Amino acid sequence: MSVHIDIAGLPPERIVFETSPLAELGLALHALSEPGHHPGLHGWATATSAALEPDLADRLHEAEFLWRNTFSDVFMPFAGVRGGDGRTGSTLAEDLDILDRLDDERFVSAALEFTCASLYGTGAPSPLTDAGMRTRALDMAAARGPKQLDFTRQLLADPGSVRGWVRRLFEDCDQAFFADTWRRIQVQLVADARHKTEVLRHKGVGAALGAVSAALSLDEETGRISADKLTTGRTEATGSAAGTGLTLIPTSFGWPHLMVLHAPGWRPVIHYPVHRPELPSPASVELLQLRMEALAHPLRMRLCRNLARSPYTTGELADSHGITPPEVSRHLAVLKKAGLVTTRRRGRYVLHALDLTVVARLGSDFLEGVLR
């Protein structure tokens, strides 16, 4: 399972690293509404939430479906402006001006991702023009709750009024807390974008992607970027109605999320968390699946119980569990392929032990994998 971006024939200068105040505001709002996804931001989220005026807190709660469970492409309008160049605004006001340039059809589709997420990337018709999609959007919104249904009805009836309401909400967030936050983190994000641009210029696309995230890879022969995620999708960086190219945006609030905008007709965007030394490299989805499958077998779980306590030989494990040494070897091979067991030689004996560090990370690896 991966999201793929075809960049075959794309000139390197069409790949740009940018910072976006609006995209970062979206992830800051997500961190406020889902602090469990971002344990490193608990202090910031607690202090910011406590300082919010009640009216603003109520308005954020009213609109949180735009960023809580589904990160709306409303926060990256530069990717959807037809004929755009993939450039973002240098300030939140400039990003909001770009949002104003997004046509109603794309604004509505992006704002309704929380009701039609299963159709993302399929090129489904707009609910503004298609009666079936309109009915689906209203039915899905009703299933989510009355607040979502009221928002959807207003959006479909009068997109302009909702645009104005959303812009005022983001401007009030800027005044209340985000302007100070952006001033604090902007330097790091600009420096990261500049550094990655230099890597791209001097070492090529593959090296730049490797510097962005271990979850990104480039197939040089096919010209296809793969983002290792528990979802599927495909888009191309050429021939888009929103301009040819690929934009990569660093985020300070985003870890562990690695997001890929791949809506048809929109410019592809990779929204990646900036590297911090204390953050572990993400385990691949394939490796995570391999490890969980290896541990799902009851006998292998019992073997792990022994191997977690002390090193054992194959013969000792066979005697302990009443099975043959070849059977133990087959189970050990599965555990070793998954990177869960280490071996070392002591004289003529080979000792096997559980890698406690790897096993201890399984829970967080799983959580990071499903959130990525």
Side-chain angles (χ1 to χ4, degrees):
M1 287 183 284
S2 298
V3 178
H4 303 295
I5 304 173
D6 292 324
I7 62 168
L10 184 70
E13 61 269 18
R14 295 281 187 170
I15 301 175
V16 296
F17 286 85
E18 296 279 320
T19 61
S20 169
L22 181 56
E24 194 68 1
L25 172 59
L27 280 171
L29 291 171
H30 170 70
L32 285 176
S33 61
E34 283 286 7
H37 290 190
H38 307 273
L41 297 173
H42 277 175
W44 174 87
T46 300
T48 301
S49 296
L52 290 177
E53 293 291 336
D55 174 68
L56 179 57
D58 288 344
R59 290 158 63 203
L60 289 177
H61 181 68
E62 184 179 345
E64 68 177 3
F65 44 81
L66 291 173
W67 55 76
R68 182 167 191 165
N69 301 316
T70 302
F71 189 76
S72 172
D73 289 343
V74 161
F75 291 103
M76 292 186 277
F78 64 89
V81 173
R82 300 179 192 277
D85 58 4
R87 298 289 178 176
T88 63
S90 59
T91 64
L92 182 63
E94 290 180 5
D95 264 351
L96 292 175
D97 288 342
I98 297 174
L99 179 59
D100 287 342
R101 290 167 50 202
L102 199 63
D103 63 54
D104 279 351
E105 190 172 295
R106 292 196 166 186
F107 175 81
V108 169
S109 294
L112 290 181
E113 284 173 26
F114 76 97
T115 65
C116 304
S118 62
L119 298 176
Y120 187 91
T122 65
S126 167
L128 285 180
T129 57
D130 184 271
M133 281 301 299
R134 182 185 184 89
T135 299
R136 176 187 173 88
L138 289 169
D139 286 346
M140 291 297 296
R144 300 294 175 90
K147 178 178 58 178
Q148 289 90 331
L149 180 58
D150 288 344
F151 175 87
T152 302
R153 283 173 172 162
Q154 180 67 22
L155 180 66
L156 294 175
D158 187 3
S161 68
V162 176
R163 281 176 176 272
W165 184 84
V166 167
R167 175 159 188 149
R168 288 191 299 274
L169 176 63
F170 293 162
E171 288 172 340
D172 290 346
C173 288
D174 194 44
Q175 183 176 357
F177 67 89
F178 185 69
D180 291 337
T181 300
W182 180 249
R183 278 192 291 270
R184 176 171 54 82
I185 64 176
Q186 181 183 17
V187 174
Q188 178 195 25
L189 298 182
V190 169
D192 185 89
R194 185 182 299 119
H195 170 68
K196 299 297 194 301
T197 299
E198 289 301 308
V199 174
L200 173 66
R201 181 177 298 126
H202 296 293
K203 297 185 178 180
V205 178
L209 293 173
V212 165
S213 172
L216 295 175
S217 60
L218 172 67
D219 185 324
E220 299 278 0
E221 290 188 8
T222 62
R224 187 177 70 178
I225 297 172
S226 296
D228 188 42
K229 291 170 63 70
L230 276 167
T231 187
T232 58
R234 190 182 188 107
T235 188
E236 59 182 32
T238 57
S240 166
T244 299
L246 169 67
T247 301
L248 297 96
I249 299 179
T251 168
S252 179
F253 281 87
W255 188 89
H257 308 304
L258 174 72
M259 294 183 289
V260 182
L261 189 163
H262 60 281
W266 289 56
R267 181 186 180 97
V269 180
I270 297 175
H271 201 188
Y272 66 93
V274 294
H275 175 72
R276 298 205 303 269
E278 69 272 18
L279 298 180
S281 296
S284 70
V285 171
E286 181 182 5
L287 181 58
L288 178 61
Q289 181 178 346
L290 195 65
R291 287 175 174 171
M292 297 183 77
E293 288 175 348
L295 292 174
H297 194 286
L299 180 55
R300 287 197 285 271
M301 290 182 69
R302 292 199 296 272
L303 292 174
C304 287
R305 183 175 186 273
N306 294 99
L307 299 173
R309 296 167 184 242
S310 67
Y312 278 78
T313 66
T314 301
E316 288 174 327
L317 291 170
D319 290 340
S320 175
H321 293 275
I323 57 178
T324 65
E327 191 173 357
V328 171
S329 295
R330 285 195 294 271
H331 286 296
L332 288 175
V334 174
L335 293 169
K336 283 189 280 188
K337 184 178 179 181
L340 298 169
V341 166
T342 61
T343 60
R344 63 182 175 88
R345 182 171 290 279
R346 188 179 65 194
R348 63 190 183 91
Y349 298 101
V350 175
L351 297 174
H352 310 281
L354 194 67
D355 191 326
L356 298 179
T357 301
V358 171
V359 176
R361 268 205 52 81
L362 267 177
S364 54
D365 280 343
F366 175 74
L367 184 59
E368 291 160 20
V370 297
L371 291 179
R372 188 188 310 155

